[in-house]
Amino acid sequence: MHHRIVFALDRQGRLVDIHSVPQGLACGCVCPGCGGRLLAKQGQIRAWYFSHASGAECVSGAETALHLAAKRLILEHRSVALPPLVVNFRRLHPRFGLFERSKTVELPEKVWRLSEARAESRIGTYIADVAGHLDDRTEVIVEVKVRHEVEPEKAKYLRARRVPCIEIDLLPLLEESLTLQELAWHVLESGTNRSWVSNSAYAEIEAELLAEYQAWIARKSSDVAGVPRHQPEPPKQPSKADEANARYQALPDEMKRLELRTVLGLANGACWPRHLQVSVREGAEAIPSPIDVWQGATFVRFIYDPIGGREETKRFSLSHVYDWVSGRFGTSEPVRHQVSAALRLFLGYLAKCGFLERNGDAFSVLHGGLWPPARPEPPVHLAKPSTSARAVSKLTAVALRREWTWRERWPLEDVALLRASDATVRYAGAQFNAQLFVGMLYSMSIEPSETAVKTLVTQCGGIADAAFDLLKDIGVVEESWRMLRGGVEPPWRCT
Ligand SMILES: [Zn+2]
């Protein structure tokens, strides 16, 4: 069903509510969602609302109107009440079961007074509903949720950069015929409809809860140790591995990153490898760790072997990796399926990069270096077989071809446009019309071929050779480096 539109734009583009306009078409208002003319319906029986003069069904009008009204109120008043900080902590111990705690902390700050505020403000590759500055120049963000909550990737981005952010949930108001003044109270002053997306105290409180969890494990272990002897099989003390894992989990993420960078030999300031922060489309939220940390740690544990001295090929199965990740990061049993799915996607990506050979859920390591195997560009001809026994091994890569596939989910169109405009700046010299390109790309009704994409890029004033870098920057394709091995031609080429 379509929700009732309660807020609209008048002839001057000002925001008005249904209670402050003349009845019918005389209201002179348009829909903030579709721009269509509105009628003000102010009957005796039903709650007052706007409807489209054309009789059109407008899917987004009510939501857009509420969202817009909230943002305008924040910009106008530049004062927003803050919620307490709530940290939920949940771990499933393999022997002692579920440990669940929630901590609510009253923060000294009760309200943000913004010295300036902008709507739809750019934060990295994301858009903040409202971004502003406090008097001490701290940048802060207020997100307004009606239907769409802050994406997990964006939340991680903000946490990593320590940008404080709250989210105000207005979904319950979608049915209400409020005045702007009433809405202002919900947006600016209510203490119960908002929560923190990012707050620098979060990690500290999470560490406290982790310490409680460890104390709980220790207590449970000593209880178990005190059990009478006639128990058939007295459970063991927590193993060395359990203790090491608990210590690891207690480390701040920054320490884990530093450790990984040291192991991988990444210099200060060097970029973290893209293949160790693969955004998997399923299950990542079930692993209580940032994506680069769990992927980096898994890579180090199962694949990374810079010396390359070992004779035997290293093999492992998905369930080995699951067991290790589950212990290392404390994932809980009920989300086993999600964790496995995320790991399968990540390992599949590494296989496409040429690190692994994959056979169902069994993997063998082809390449133990930090970076994917060499990518000759332009493609080299088949290397002459070397006399060295290692080099003629069946598994030696002889050539790589750059491949790409459309991502299953694309970024929102406005985000895509920002990224495309950014890319234009980087591909200097190109008279690229990002708006036209994104508009056409997002209205394609069939999957465009490689040639079609290149033609489209050219039509929009871009460089055909840069087409895939552009698509990658926009976030609509992912690339893989497919390994071609010597010896066998595909059957259809052998005729
Ligand atoms: Zn509309």
Side-chain angles (χ1 to χ4, degrees):
M1 77 159 267
H2 296 297
H3 295 281
R4 304 275 165 75
I5 299 177
V6 180
F7 306 103
L9 295 168
D10 72 6
R11 288 194 184 86
Q12 284 75 41
R14 286 173 310 208
L15 197 79
V16 291
D17 64 55
I18 182 68
H19 305 274
S20 63
V21 294
Q23 196 166 354
L25 262 182
C27 72
C29 289
V30 295
C31 168
C34 67
R37 290 175 75 202
L38 296 176
L39 290 167
K41 297 210 166 165
Q42 300 170 336
Q44 300 288 320
I45 299 166
R46 302 172 70 185
W48 290 6
Y49 62 94
F50 291 104
S51 73
H52 288 75
S54 63
E57 288 281 289
C58 174
V59 182
S60 64
E63 182 183 339
T64 307
L66 181 56
H67 200 256
L68 180 72
K71 284 186 292 191
R72 293 247 179 131
L73 286 165
I74 298 168
L75 293 187
E76 190 181 320
H77 295 269
R78 287 187 279 131
S79 162
V80 184
L82 298 174
L85 178 60
V86 180
V87 179
N88 293 312
F89 184 95
R90 195 185 149 93
R91 290 283 191 284
L92 190 73
H93 190 275
R95 289 190 330 165
F96 304 135
L98 185 64
F99 176 90
E100 208 169 8
R101 296 286 184 279
S102 175
K103 210 165 213 172
T104 302
V105 182
E106 290 297 334
L107 299 168
E109 242 181 333
K110 303 289 182 214
V111 63
W112 275 339
R113 296 195 194 286
L114 308 173
S115 54
E116 56 182 89
R118 305 166 308 281
E120 305 303 314
S121 182
R122 179 99 205 253
I123 299 287
T125 52
Y126 302 100
I127 307 289
D129 286 337
V130 177
H133 283 104
L134 305 179
D135 285 336
D136 65 0
R137 302 302 301 157
T138 310
E139 180 168 46
V140 299
I141 289 175
V142 182
E143 291 285 336
V144 176
K145 178 198 158 192
V146 180
R147 285 233 188 271
H148 303 286
E149 55 195 45
V150 175
E151 313 144 59
E153 286 169 8
K154 182 172 168 184
K156 274 190 196 158
Y157 179 91
L158 296 174
R159 285 181 204 136
R161 275 159 193 75
R162 298 183 161 256
V163 180
C165 173
I166 62 164
E167 182 176 61
I168 305 174
D169 181 2
L170 298 182
L171 181 61
L173 303 182
L174 204 46
E175 297 287 345
E176 306 278 327
S177 181
L178 299 177
T179 63
L180 270 174
Q181 201 178 0
E182 286 164 337
L183 179 66
W185 181 85
H186 288 280
V187 172
L188 308 172
E189 290 173 49
S190 165
T192 54
N193 60 2
R194 59 205 62 208
S195 59
W196 287 94
V197 173
S198 167
N199 182 300
S200 55
Y202 193 96
E204 199 182 307
I205 295 161
E206 202 173 33
E208 284 171 22
L209 288 166
L210 195 57
E212 280 182 29
Y213 173 59
Q214 285 162 313
W216 176 81
I217 296 175
R219 214 164 44 242
K220 288 273 186 187
S221 308
S222 62
D223 288 354
V224 167
V227 164
R229 285 183 145 246
H230 55 73
Q231 276 255 323
E233 218 178 302
K236 292 167 292 187
Q237 286 286 321
S239 68
K240 285 265 190 292
D242 287 346
E243 287 167 16
N245 285 339
R247 272 199 308 278
Y248 181 79
Q249 287 161 25
L251 288 175
D253 292 333
E254 284 318 306
M255 289 296 295
K256 296 175 188 165
R257 290 195 174 105
L258 192 64
E259 189 183 311
L260 287 169
R261 294 183 74 93
T262 310
V263 172
L264 293 170
L266 274 173
N268 254 346
C271 274
W272 183 252
R274 284 173 56 115
H275 57 275
L276 301 182
Q277 47 182 338
V278 183
S279 52
V280 293
R281 62 176 184 274
E282 197 189 335
E285 68 288 344
I287 305 173
S289 162
I291 208 156
D292 57 321
V293 172
W294 70 255
Q295 294 188 354
T298 306
F299 182 79
V300 165
R301 170 68 180 76
F302 288 94
I303 295 152
Y304 186 56
D305 179 26
I307 315 287
R310 73 178 168 253
E311 284 300 306
E312 278 181 48
T313 311
K314 207 164 163 186
R315 293 171 203 285
F316 55 86
S317 70
L318 182 67
S319 63
H320 285 133
V321 181
Y322 171 82
D323 288 344
W324 184 80
V325 166
S326 149
R328 195 63 168 164
F329 294 100
T331 68
S332 62
E333 190 58 27
V335 294
R336 181 184 186 106
H337 178 73
Q338 288 95 305
V339 174
S340 290
L343 293 174
R344 188 182 285 114
L345 290 165
F346 171 55
L347 295 172
Y349 184 90
L350 293 182
K352 282 186 194 156
C353 293
F355 289 103
L356 297 173
E357 182 167 64
R358 175 176 190 177
N359 187 357
D361 279 347
F363 298 87
S364 29
V365 178
L366 295 178
H367 176 83
L370 171 57
W371 302 101
R375 351 167 135 178
E377 216 172 352
V380 292
H381 298 292
L382 292 191
K384 262 189 266 167
S386 144
T387 45
S388 137
R390 276 180 75 92
V392 294
S393 145
K394 265 191 184 171
L395 298 178
T396 307
V398 291
L400 291 161
R401 197 160 85 85
R402 198 171 174 185
E403 297 269 338
W404 56 272
T405 49
W406 295 105
R407 280 178 181 265
E408 298 206 354
R409 305 203 49 179
W410 288 10
L412 294 174
E413 193 168 337
D414 53 351
V415 175
L417 179 56
L418 273 172
R419 291 178 180 170
S421 312
D422 237 25
T424 311
V425 175
R426 279 203 302 286
Y427 311 138
Q431 297 298 307
F432 181 60
N433 185 337
Q435 183 137 27
L436 180 64
F437 179 74
V438 171
M440 293 184 70
L441 187 67
Y442 272 65
S443 55
M444 297 255 179
S445 55
I446 52 161
E447 182 178 331
S449 68
E450 187 169 331
T451 321
V453 169
K454 288 189 170 173
T455 309
L456 180 58
V457 170
T458 314
Q459 279 169 356
C460 296
I463 303 165
D465 285 347
F468 296 138
D469 288 317
L470 178 68
L471 293 176
K472 205 171 64 184
D473 280 359
I474 295 174
V476 292
V477 301
E478 47 200 322
E479 80 182 315
S480 60
W481 295 93
R482 181 150 311 163
M483 216 177 225
L484 302 177
R485 305 203 179 93
V488 189
E489 284 265 275
W492 61 88
R493 292 211 199 109
C494 296
T495 49

